Amino acid sequence: MVGLPARLNDQLAELRHRFRPLLDALSAWGLWVLIGALFVWAALDERQLFVVGIVVGSIYALGALGLTLIYGILKFGNFAHGDTMMLGAYVAYFVLTGRIVGERTDTNTGLGLDRLPAATDRLGDLTFGYAFLLAVAAAVIVIALVSVGLDRVIYRPLRRRGSSIVIFAIASLGVALATRSVILFVWGPDSRVYVSGIHRARHLPFDIVLKTDQIFVLIVAVALTAAMYLLLFRTKLGKAMRATADNPALARVAGINTEQTIVWTWIIGGALVAVAGVLLALQANLTPNLGFFLLLPLFAAAILGGLGNPVGALLGAMVVGVAQETSVEFLSPGYKASVAFFILVVILLLRPHGLFGGRTR
Amino acid sequence: MTTGPVLEAQGVVAGYGEVNILHGVSLRVDGGEMVAVIGPNGAGKSTLLKAIFGLLPLRSGRVFLKGQEITNLSPDEVVLRGLSYVPQVENVFPSLTVLENLEMGAFVRRNGVRHRLQQVCELFPDLAGRRGEVAARLSGGQRQMLAVARALMLDPEVLLLDEPSASLSPKMVAIIFDRIGIINQAGTAILLVEQNAKEALSLSHRGYVLAMGQNRLEGEAKGLLENAEVARLYLGA
């Protein structure tokens, strides 16, 4: 290090070494206490923001789950995950409305499901009709297929060549840029909405007001997370996925077809992130760049929970969601993204293996 | 006991990169037999197991299981045909529970998993008591037991064991060898690679001595134990 005498430097290193276990314990407990305090304070003082944070967090959770699964098995951070999420949202938009960008106004291809009879009649208090649900299903299928296709064309050849994780990460960055460009090319830069109309609010106990759509989002996210948990811990496929993440060489020795496991990982990760994209777009407007901004909270959530740990990703997503939403009490809403960034930096400094992880590096 | 060879390797040549480690090694394991492969460090013992199991491509030579050729089949196909392999290190799934580890051992099995689980648990009662525990929490010896138990879940024709006694306490080594003996007596043929030559030979029916990637000696285990050259080279006598 420039400017520091070697002796001082040595002493610093010595000190750091001696206090490492103490610092480890402190940072672990400190983080848990901090998270506990955040949740208690938010739940008591900022109930409304807290609940909205949970809704946002549950969307992040779906994205972070996919991210952490892919990391667990393929060992690289998939930078394309945010843009894949947006692609899912746009595919659902197309299936629903049939619209793509035109020269001056939109071109309606006439392929949208909203032409079906009563397709957009509102389901109860929700803003959308059954066509929207079909559009979500279509997006799930398309994104799962696209994910598997990208693996075939890009990641599998890299695996066969034994490329380093840096190559994988940079390749995924390329996929991210390409995906965003495709979105821009097909749907243009303007923001879009699935359905315009008035949101009905619901008054819940404890003075909480939520849009019915938000309640829908929460239910879907919770249901999918629970399904994921059952898949990973109760089914043969899920156990094989965890085994492959744990020790791919031994998984092969046990007779697990790891390539097939990888395909399933992309299918499941893609399906989850497609749903996340649609749920997000149901809350906010669809813009091509949204996916890029989402990458930060998704990575923060996945790393906070410990990369590769699905339960951790869920908790991490809730922390990031609640922290972001409650931050508007102190900061301008424009800084929400920086909250996720701040969380990310703090974890990487203190506990790079996440809340449940072992020692710091 | 003997019913002709269940596993046979003929003139196996394999290696890493430009270098060949094995220069034409041959061996056979008969039905129900326990065969030890001993030799000094770097003789290619572990490489031989990897090559037989399909983890390392054969550059020459052939491998047969029950008379069917399995040369250069992928591990999942080899497993399906009844060959099980326990690597020397990193041989359990650390974040999976003991039970899940065993289930993964039976991954390619379609039926009888529950029954087999019961049999394996009877053989390893100390594991049965810790079914729900995560493998990372087990001691080194228990982990080794779990690794062997995982491979047994397949009910294999032949079990390939790569240095099961490595880095275990002497007490644990005795226990592990005792279990291996029991597994063999129950009818599973075993090909055992060991640094611990004396114990391995006293447990086995036959043995092969490997040196520099080639067959050096072979014969009845008892004969090898008494062989002066073996004693001088590998038994430290």
Side-chain angles (χ1 to χ4, degrees):
Chain A
M1 208 184 277
V2 187
L4 270 182
R7 200 160 52 93
L8 190 61
N9 217 358
D10 285 352
Q11 279 171 345
L12 271 177
E14 165 71 27
L15 270 180
R16 225 178 285 145
H17 182 71
R18 188 174 302 168
F19 288 107
R20 169 136 286 182
L22 184 68
L23 281 174
D24 271 340
L26 274 181
S27 64
W29 285 104
L31 270 180
W32 278 108
V33 168
L34 222 66
I35 288 168
L38 169 74
F39 273 60
V40 170
W41 165 75
L44 292 177
D45 253 29
E46 300 291 343
R47 251 166 303 178
Q48 180 63 32
L49 293 176
F50 176 68
V51 175
V52 174
I54 293 289
V55 172
V56 172
S58 63
I59 297 175
Y60 289 165
L62 295 181
L65 264 174
L67 199 60
T68 218
L69 278 180
I70 291 166
Y71 180 87
I73 291 189
L74 299 162
K75 308 289 178 227
F76 75 97
N78 179 16
F79 289 118
H81 211 61
D83 291 291
T84 311
M85 188 164 166
M86 286 335 285
L87 186 65
Y90 273 97
V91 168
Y93 172 82
F94 176 76
V95 173
L96 186 63
T97 64
R99 283 166 190 275
I100 54 173
V101 73
E103 267 185 44
R104 273 166 198 271
T105 58
D106 273 358
T107 310
N108 195 330
T109 58
L111 297 170
L113 290 180
D114 55 2
R115 305 208 151 186
L116 296 175
T120 52
D121 286 1
R122 291 179 164 213
L123 298 168
D125 273 355
L126 298 164
T127 56
F128 49 81
Y130 75 84
F132 172 79
L133 299 177
L134 292 177
V136 178
V140 163
I141 294 167
V142 169
I143 296 304
L145 290 177
V146 166
S147 298
V148 173
L150 284 172
D151 183 65
R152 271 288 142 87
V153 179
I154 295 169
Y155 302 116
R156 192 166 76 169
L158 292 177
R159 269 201 301 284
R160 295 231 162 120
R161 236 179 272 175
S163 303
S164 77
I165 52 163
V166 179
I167 306 283
F168 278 93
I170 298 297
S172 77
L173 197 60
V175 172
L177 293 170
T179 307
R180 201 176 324 155
S181 304
V182 167
I183 292 173
L184 268 170
F185 185 71
V186 180
W187 289 284
D190 298 332
S191 73
R192 293 164 183 277
V193 287
Y194 285 131
V195 258
S196 44
I198 298 160
H199 285 280
R200 302 264 168 81
R202 282 199 171 241
H203 292 270
L204 302 174
F206 304 108
D207 297 332
I208 293 163
V209 184
L210 276 185
K211 295 176 213 160
T212 316
D213 281 5
Q214 286 176 317
I215 298 172
F216 171 78
V217 166
L218 196 59
I219 291 172
V220 171
V222 168
L224 281 179
T225 312
M228 269 307 299
Y229 183 85
L230 289 178
L231 174 88
L232 284 171
F233 290 88
R234 294 278 180 273
T235 70
K236 200 171 168 182
L237 171 67
K239 289 173 190 175
M241 284 170 68
R242 284 165 51 224
T244 308
D246 241 15
N247 187 340
L250 187 63
R252 265 165 61 83
V253 165
I256 296 169
N257 185 335
T258 48
E259 277 297 319
Q260 214 172 334
T261 313
I262 289 171
V263 168
W264 278 109
T265 308
W266 282 110
I267 290 176
I268 292 163
L272 287 175
V273 84
V275 175
V278 179
L279 294 183
L280 187 87
L282 198 59
Q283 304 245 348
N285 293 342
L286 262 171
T287 57
N289 287 329
L290 193 55
F292 180 67
F293 294 121
L294 274 171
L295 213 49
L296 213 49
L298 292 190
F299 266 100
I303 294 174
L304 183 60
L307 275 170
N309 180 345
V311 181
L314 175 68
L315 181 76
M318 293 302 166
V319 172
V320 175
V322 169
Q324 281 196 338
E325 291 306 315
T326 51
S327 74
V328 298
E329 190 68 8
F330 316 102
L331 297 167
S332 144
Y335 287 110
K336 273 186 194 175
S338 67
V339 173
F341 191 63
F342 178 72
I343 294 175
L344 187 60
V345 170
V346 170
I347 309 157
L348 285 177
L349 282 175
L350 294 179
R351 295 197 70 76
H353 294 295
L355 281 169
F356 305 101
R359 298 187 317 107
T360 52
R361 258 195 283 248
Chain B
M1 183 191 72
T2 48
T3 51
V6 276
L7 180 71
E8 195 169 12
Q10 299 172 348
V12 171
V13 176
Y16 302 94
E18 308 258 298
V19 187
N20 281 340
I21 307 281
L22 303 172
H23 310 278
V25 177
S26 300
L27 58 72
R28 65 159 223 280
V29 179
D30 289 338
E33 202 182 23
M34 167 116 83
V35 174
V37 176
I38 60 169
N41 254 332
K45 306 187 296 289
S46 297
T47 310
L48 178 62
L49 286 196
K50 282 184 191 155
I52 290 175
F53 192 69
L55 287 171
L56 197 66
L58 259 61
R59 289 167 184 175
S60 170
R62 302 167 84 182
V63 183
F64 297 91
L65 185 68
K66 290 182 285 177
Q68 279 183 314
E69 181 153 12
I70 57 164
T71 314
N72 286 338
L73 288 185
S74 68
D76 51 309
E77 287 170 301
V78 173
V79 167
L80 260 177
R81 285 165 169 76
L83 192 59
S84 227
Y85 165 62
V86 181
Q88 187 183 342
V89 288
E90 295 187 356
N91 48 20
V92 298
F93 299 108
S95 76
L96 267 58
T97 63
V98 168
L99 183 62
E100 286 170 337
N101 264 281
L102 294 176
E103 284 172 355
M104 287 301 105
F107 186 79
V108 298
R109 264 186 98 114
R110 295 235 172 270
N111 43 43
V113 176
R114 202 168 283 255
H115 180 63
R116 186 65 189 159
L117 192 64
Q118 213 165 9
Q119 291 176 327
V120 170
C121 283
E122 276 165 25
L123 201 56
F124 296 95
D126 21 355
L127 287 179
R130 314 186 70 162
R131 280 168 185 242
E133 221 162 301
V134 172
R137 297 237 183 92
L138 299 180
S139 70
Q142 286 168 332
R143 241 184 260 196
Q144 199 62 43
M145 299 268 189
L146 179 58
V148 176
R150 197 263 314 141
L152 270 186
M153 281 298 293
L154 192 69
D155 197 3
E157 296 285 334
V158 186
L159 182 61
L160 308 177
L161 294 175
D162 193 354
E163 304 232 9
S165 76
S167 67
L168 290 184
S169 68
K171 199 176 144 206
M172 246 3 266
V173 172
I175 297 176
I176 257 283
F177 276 139
D178 179 56
R179 297 291 159 79
I180 292 170
I182 294 173
I183 294 165
N184 178 242
Q185 275 156 26
T188 309
I190 295 177
L191 180 59
L192 172 71
V193 155
E194 261 295 343
Q195 198 77 255
N196 223 328
K198 205 181 251 175
E199 274 86 351
L201 283 177
S202 46
L203 200 63
S204 303
H205 301 108
R206 284 189 307 113
Y208 290 85
V209 180
L210 236 58
M212 310 287 285
Q214 281 172 324
N215 289 74
R216 183 75 167 267
L217 288 167
E218 64 176 273
E220 295 291 315
K222 220 178 226 170
L224 285 178
L225 266 173
E226 288 158 5
N227 183 299
E229 192 190 351
V230 175
R232 187 172 48 78
L233 280 174
Y234 313 114
L235 299 181

